[in-house]
């Protein structure tokens, strides 16, 4: 066993550290625990950061999980959820990079990035993100509407469920950050203080950089005038917490336009004396003043600046020019120091920019360019992204209207954004594709257009939903079978299908053809087996020619890696495999009716931050519309989805949202207006100016499936 050998000075350092309640220096740990360090040298790891984290206050709440459990959730399936390219715009350059708009639940997407297997993002994103900006729902319980009063998304999940939802995303976000990266999270008074503690836990309190305050919009102070007495005062700001991945990282400075006067005139400030400069070279007599505290500047620098000022005084006796004029004439580089009564002052020359502090109330926090609710201002993101360099990768997984993406694009940063709302996705797509017509960043000429095309981008779907709340299918096999059959409107039959088709796993027939249910209640199938071409070939081999025509398989989207396929059976006849896919999330939605291993603690928090379910049917959602004098009317709408009772929706009942492009070019759908189902009368009428034959609509049903764009009839 290795011997401990400590010098006198080591002991002193150890006691000092203990007395100050700080970590002993790393090399002392090596001396104190030599055998442990030998293990480390042999490939073990010791996480000093983790030690640091243990010492901070932590937040306790119901349902809080270990980080390890959260991260393990990503590997449960054994493979990542596939990213599917939906649309691409522009051709990538030599590096092959495209910016990404990701449609789907950000937790699922984060897990996919964390697993780092999908070819689209493999080795390009994990550990490479330089800046994360997120502005999640604030956990207020509010519903947020578009500028037309539509309901766009809801922040309905509250309490510990909300905090845990944020925390698990933060854990994954930390894992995908680059070592030199950092994260900004915008939040408000409802949960801000809890989020701060959670950020300390996840990132380490030594990575805390700043708390920044951001304007919320028009102050509501006037509202309180009507009351004699009040119970609180108006709220004027949101908070942004800024954390880094590593404490030693340094970032580019953030500046803003200087006030008008500062651009023309210089000003005198006291030359600070501070203990921070406590070095012998900084202690000297300056213009007859010799205080104990050291000066902010070195002796050489100060003396030269005094000399410069004396020269200027001498010079201006004849020319009467101002110090600004003199400074400009001499090349805008000279520094000046003077004595003013008992103060030593240095001169700050005129400047176009000044550095910012953490009060950002000077700029707007929200703006209303896109009509999407809670759109953050480009000024705010412009300021935030200043700490990064061109080409850095910027990530926002609560994308909304796409402010982070738009600003990153204008600043030549690469970006990835994500949102599961279709309204958000089409808003972002439009915003990016029309970026040339938007305002240039910076304040000098507010009306100047940006005028450059967007960098190459792709809209992709994360294609699957979160598996984190897998219900206990072993106990609920029968409920599951009944549920998924009802989902697709197929009645269950008790027949000897095994005898008829020589196959297990068939539970019903549709139009006389067999319907198999992929057996997710068996762990092996749930986590490892994937429905691929070989799987289908096995079915043909086992059934020995008993199958011809159509063969349907009901399968969660995450468990299949093929789409519809036609193969030949043993007699050479075609068998058309039709996959009835659905996202696993739908099971969570349904799980209220089943007994669960992990019961949700309220009917409202079945889902993560915001609920979203969607089917992947092959029958498209169908819509037809015609032009009317006042706008347009939906003359037909149908969706194959069914409600909880297993019935299809009548009329417009199953409609969630209609997206309208007034002038559709047949290629790119340019969202002009989003109208929610609730706002459309029973006759399908939508009031809107500018509708022509070139106007097209997309209908989105209540499960998120969308129709193809169709022109007016
Ligand atoms: C406050 S808004 C973001 C606004 C955005 N910063 C902007 O400038 O427009 C929050 C967004 O997060 C989205 N969101 C909520 N939960 C989500 C989830 N689990 N996955 C992806 N997006 C989600 C909502 O649809 C909403 O668009």
């Amino acid at each position: 066993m290795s011997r401990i050998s400590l010098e006198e000075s080591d002991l002193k350092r150890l006691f000092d550290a203990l007395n100050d309640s700080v970590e002993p220096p790393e090399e002392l740990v090596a001396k104190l625990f030599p055998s442990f360090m030998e293990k480390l040298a042999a490939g073990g790891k010791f996480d000093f950061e983790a030690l640091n984290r243990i010492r901070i206050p932590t937040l306790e709440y119901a349902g809080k999980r270990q980080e390890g459990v959260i991260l393990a959730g990503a590997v449960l399936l054994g493979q990542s959820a596939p990213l599917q390219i939906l649309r691409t715009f522009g051709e990538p350059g030599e590096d092959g990079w495209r910016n990404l708009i990701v449609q789907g639940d950000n937790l699922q997407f984060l897990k996919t990035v964390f697993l780092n297997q999908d070819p689209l993002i493999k080795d390009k994103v994990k550990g490479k993100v330089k800046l994360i900006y997120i502005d999640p729902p604030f956990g207020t319980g509010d519903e947020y509407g578009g500028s037309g009063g539509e309901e766009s998304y809801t922040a309905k999940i509250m309490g510990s469920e909300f905090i845990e939802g944020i925390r698990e995303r933060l854990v994954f976000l930390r894992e995908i950050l680059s070592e030199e990266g950092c994260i900004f999270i915008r939040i408000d008074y409802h949960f801000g203080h809890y989020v701060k503690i959670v950020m300390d836990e996840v990132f380490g309190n030594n990575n805390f950089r700043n708390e920044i305050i951001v304007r919320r919009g028009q102050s509501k102070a006037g509202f309180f005038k009507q009351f004699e007495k009040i119970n609180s005062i108006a709220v004027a700001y949101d908070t942004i917490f800024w954390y880094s991945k590593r404490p030693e990282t340094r970032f580019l400075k953030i500046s803003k336009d200087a006030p008008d006067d500062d651009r023309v005139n210089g000003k005198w400030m006291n030359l600070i004396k501070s203990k921070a400069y406590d070095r012998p070279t900084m202690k000297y007599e300056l213009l007859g003043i010799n205080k104990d505290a050291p000066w902010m500047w070195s002796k050489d620098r100060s003396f030269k600046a005094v000399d410069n000022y004396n020269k200027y005084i001498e010079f201006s006796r004849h020319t009467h020019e101002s110090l600004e004029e003199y400074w400009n004439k001499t090349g805008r580089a000279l520094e000046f120091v003077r004595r003013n009564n008992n103060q030593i002052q240095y001169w700050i020359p005129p400047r176009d920019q000044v550095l910012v502090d953490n009060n950002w109330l000077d700029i707007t926090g929200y703006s209303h360019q896109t009509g999407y609710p809670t759109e953050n201002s480009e000024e705010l993101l412009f300021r935030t992204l200043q700490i990064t360099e061109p080409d850095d990768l910027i990530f926002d997984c609560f994308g909304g209207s796409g402010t982070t993406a738009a600003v990153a694009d204008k600043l030549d940063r690469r970006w990835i954004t994500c949102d599961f709302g279709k309204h958000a996705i089409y808003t972002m797509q439009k915003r990016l594709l029309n970026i040339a017509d938007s305002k240039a960043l910076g304040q000098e000429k507010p009306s100047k257009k940006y005028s450059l095309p967007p960098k190459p981008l792709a809209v992709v779907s994360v294609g699957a939903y979160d598996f984190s709340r897998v219900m206990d299918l072993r106990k609920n096999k029968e409920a599951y079978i009944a549920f998924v059959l009802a989902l697709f409107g197929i009645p269950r039959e008790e027949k000897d299908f095994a005898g008829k088709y020589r196959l297990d796993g068939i539970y019903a027939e549709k139009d006389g053809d067999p319907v198999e249910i992929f057996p997710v209640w068996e762990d092996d199938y749930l986590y490892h087996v994937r429905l691929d071409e070989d799987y289908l070939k096995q079915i043909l081999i086992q059934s020995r020619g008993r199958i011809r025509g159509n063969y349907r398989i009901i399968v969660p989207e995450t468990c299949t890696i093929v789409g519809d396929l036609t193969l030949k059976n043993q007699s050479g006849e075609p068998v058309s495999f039709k996959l009835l896919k659905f996202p696993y999330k739908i099971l969570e939605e349904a799980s209220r009716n089943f007994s669960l291993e992990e019961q949700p603690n309220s009917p409202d928090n079945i889902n993560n931050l915001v609920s979203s379910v969607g089917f992947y049917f092959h029958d498209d959602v169908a819509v037809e519309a015609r032009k009317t004098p006042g706008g347009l009317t939906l003359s037909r709408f149908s969706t194959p989805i069914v409600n909880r009772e297993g019935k299809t929706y009548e009329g417009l009942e199953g409609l969630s949202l209609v997206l309208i492009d007034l002038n559709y070019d047949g290629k790119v759908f340019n969202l002009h207006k989003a109208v929610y189902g609730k706002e459309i009368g029973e006759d399908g009428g939508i009031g809107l100016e500018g509708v022509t034959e070139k106007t097209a609509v997309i209908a989105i049903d209540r499960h998120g499936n969308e129709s193809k764009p169709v022109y007016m009839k």
Side-chain angles (χ1 to χ4, degrees), residues 420-472:
F420 69 63
K422 292 261 161 96
H423 188 178
I425 297 295
Y426 278 100
T427 302
M428 293 197 232
Q429 176 179 308
K430 175 182 180 185
R431 185 171 188 174
L432 267 301
L433 296 183
N434 296 295
I435 198 167
D437 291 333
S438 68
K439 276 202 262 179
L441 295 172
Q443 306 210 332
E444 313 86 53
K445 287 187 193 156
S447 55
K448 201 177 142 205
K449 281 194 176 164
Y450 170 63
S451 73
L452 290 175
K455 315 289 181 312
L457 72 106
V459 181
V460 305
S461 138
V462 73
Y465 289 77
D466 183 25
F467 263 80
S468 64
R469 289 164 181 275
V470 174
M471 57 182 189
D472 188 354

Side-chain angles (χ1 to χ4, degrees), residues 105-106 135 153 169 372 374-376 398-401 403 419-420:
D105 181 354
N106 54 19
D135 167 33
Y153 75 92
R169 285 163 175 84
Y372 192 84
T374 67
E375 171 190 320
N376 286 205
F398 290 93
S401 68
T403 314
D419 203 293
F420 69 63

Side-chain angles (χ1 to χ4, degrees), residues 81 118-119 134 146 224 232 269 296 310 329 443 456 576 643 666 688:
D118 193 283
I134 51 167
F224 292 91
S232 64
M269 297 282 284
M296 180 173 91
N310 290 340
K329 201 169 74 184
Q443 306 210 332
S576 191
N643 63 17
L688 185 63

Side-chain angles (χ1 to χ4, degrees), residues 164-176:
E164 184 63 356
I166 294 286
R167 180 173 156 264
E168 69 179 333
R169 285 163 175 84
L170 289 174
V171 169
F172 284 108
L173 285 167
R174 182 192 67 212
E175 296 301 308
I176 69 163

Side-chain angles (χ1 to χ4, degrees), residues 102-108 133-138 144 152-155 169 186 365-367 370 372-377 381 396-404 418-425 427-428 431 585 608-612:
V102 181
Q103 174 186 309
D105 181 354
N106 54 19
L107 185 59
Q108 180 66 60
Y133 179 88
I134 51 167
D135 167 33
F138 292 165
Y144 292 91
S152 267
Y153 75 92
T154 141
R169 285 163 175 84
R186 178 174 185 167
Y366 288 113
S367 59
T370 63
Y372 192 84
T374 67
E375 171 190 320
N376 286 205
S377 75
L381 270 297
D396 181 352
C397 58
F398 290 93
S401 68
T403 314
T404 309
C418 170
D419 203 293
F420 69 63
K422 292 261 161 96
H423 188 178
I425 297 295
T427 302
M428 293 197 232
R431 185 171 188 174
K585 189 88 177 172
N608 284 311
L609 298 182
V610 181
S611 61
S612 160

